[in-house]
Amino acid sequence: MSDQINDKPIIGITIGDYNGIGPEVILKALEGNQLAKLCTPVIYGSLRVLNQYRNLLEMKDWTLHGIQKVEQINHKLTNVITCWHDHQTEIHPGKITAEAGQGSLASLKRAVEDLKEGKIKALVTGPINKDNIQSETFQFPGHTEYLAQEFKKEDALMFMVSGDLRVGVLTGHIPLEHVRANITAEKLTAKLDQIILSLKDDFGIKKPRVAVLGLNPHAGENGLLGNEEIDIIKPVLQTFKDKGNLVFGPFPADGFFAAGTYRQYDAILAMYHDQGLIPFKTLAFNEGVNFTAGLSAVRTSPDHGTAYNIAGKNLAEPGSLLQAIYLACDVSKFRQTNQEINQNALVSKPQPSESQHPAKSGGKQRYN
């Protein structure tokens, strides 16, 4: 195997709900092994399901490579690991079924196992139905919360990315009536820490500029329309500023995107799900990516759902999934490069002579 092939990251892709558009956008993104020079894709799902969609979409000239485990991959082909007994599995595009939910869960669990063991460099998750995937072992509002548990993180950051536009949310998949109770100084501090660290470690921005939106209309209008900006958001931002961080706000959410103010910042932190995702999807629906920041592993996802209304009709566009794969490759390679640089720096660090060794000089290091 050549060094070029060895250097390619192995990217896992879960099939999601196979009655939605997940299989279609995956096949369109990978058709003809067009990403083989960039990465080695491994689809976690069902070879039988994908072949049914290949026939439905008339992709019959392209062959998928079925394997049982990652160690059997062919770096020149698109590999598929079947994650459940699929001998009788039939697709029903556009229909919500328990079987499809079980399949999406089986695929996710198998892929996460390989991700945790380092067998794949990054994970791209296909869209799931957050209802039919629920089970005794999956009681989460979405991928982000499940992955946070699997990687033993109290909380992970939902980071929506499209080029230089990056939007995080303080509160994610929770009912709107619970948003206010979850806006605390502690949580705001944690999310800002995650955003700043991710911008540095995953995107290579040395001194990131972060904008924070207000919770209330007009960012509270100096307390007239709410006190959260005065009591919680501003004090936290001041603490970050005092430490030399470039954080700004709170900004009124309504005009922030409309006026193009977002272009002045490396990331924006919204207070709740729709406050951030509605403008993001308006600006970048076909190319937006959901990136989970704060994990030791890399995970991305297209920013759309199952779209049952167009499933199986050859109407789904693969743009968002392609961008999710590109971002997964970019971040995993960036992290690897940084790790190698840090390791080399440690190896090449000058060693003290015997007279300079801390144990021989009263614990004081005297390096020039």
Side-chain angles (χ1 to χ4, degrees), residues 3 24 27 36 66 75 86 123 126 130 150-151 180-181 189 210 228 245 262 292 296 328 330 354 364 367:
D3 290 338
E24 180 176 335
L27 289 171
H75 286 276
D86 66 346
L123 176 62
K130 294 178 177 61
E150 288 298 303
F151 285 90
R180 172 59 188 88
T189 298
V210 180
E228 287 79 9
N245 295 290
Y262 66 90
T292 305
S296 57
D330 288 344
E354 183 172 322
K364 295 181 181 178
Y367 302 141

Side-chain angles (χ1 to χ4, degrees), residues 19-22 24 93-94 127-128 285 304-313 316:
N19 286 329
I21 64 171
E24 180 176 335
I128 58 172
F285 184 72
H304 57 70
T306 52
Y308 290 121
N309 59 312
I310 61 170
K313 298 179 181 178

Side-chain angles (χ1 to χ4, degrees), residues 142-347:
H143 282 113
T144 304
E145 295 80 6
Y146 173 72
L147 288 164
Q149 175 189 274
E150 288 298 303
F151 285 90
K152 295 180 171 54
K153 296 286 292 186
E154 274 192 29
D155 199 9
L157 172 70
M158 181 189 296
F159 213 4
M160 308 304 294
V161 179
S162 177
D164 292 333
L165 173 62
R166 306 174 189 90
V167 179
V169 291
L170 177 59
T171 60
H173 295 121
I174 63 173
L176 195 56
E177 64 179 330
H178 297 160
V179 167
R180 172 59 188 88
N182 281 274
I183 295 179
T184 65
E186 293 75 19
K187 289 190 176 183
L188 179 55
T189 298
K191 291 296 185 185
L192 279 172
D193 279 335
Q194 286 179 327
I195 284 181
I196 293 170
L197 185 62
S198 180
L199 290 171
K200 292 178 178 180
D201 291 352
D202 299 327
F203 298 92
I205 302 171
K206 293 182 179 180
K207 196 70 174 177
R209 295 170 56 86
V210 180
V212 178
L213 302 182
L215 170 67
N216 299 294
H218 306 291
E221 202 75 83
N222 293 321
L224 180 65
L225 302 176
N227 293 314
E228 287 79 9
E229 288 78 10
I230 295 173
D231 295 342
I232 300 172
I233 301 175
K234 287 184 178 180
V236 170
L237 296 189
Q238 189 59 52
T239 300
F240 273 84
K241 290 176 183 177
D242 292 343
K243 295 178 180 179
N245 295 290
L246 302 179
V247 295
F248 305 89
F251 294 99
D254 56 351
F256 185 82
F257 290 95
T261 311
Y262 66 90
R263 297 189 182 94
Q264 301 173 22
Y265 301 94
D266 299 302
I268 300 101
L269 179 62
M271 291 295 104
Y272 55 93
H273 184 279
D274 283 11
Q275 186 189 56
L277 268 66
I278 287 175
F280 178 85
K281 291 189 176 185
T282 300
L283 292 166
F285 184 72
N286 289 326
E287 296 185 346
V289 176
N290 181 353
F291 170 60
T292 305
L295 299 181
S296 57
V298 177
R299 176 260 172 167
T300 65
S301 177
D303 75 343
H304 57 70
T306 52
Y308 290 121
N309 59 312
I310 61 170
K313 298 179 181 178
N314 203 12
L315 297 175
E317 295 290 339
S320 183
L321 181 71
L322 277 168
Q323 294 301 322
I325 296 171
Y326 295 150
L327 183 62
C329 291
D330 288 344
V331 174
S332 61
K333 287 179 180 178
F334 188 81
R335 286 188 181 185
Q336 170 110 22
T337 300
N338 267 356
Q339 184 178 11
E340 291 171 356
I341 290 172
N342 291 333
Q343 287 175 345
N344 291 336
L346 289 172
V347 171

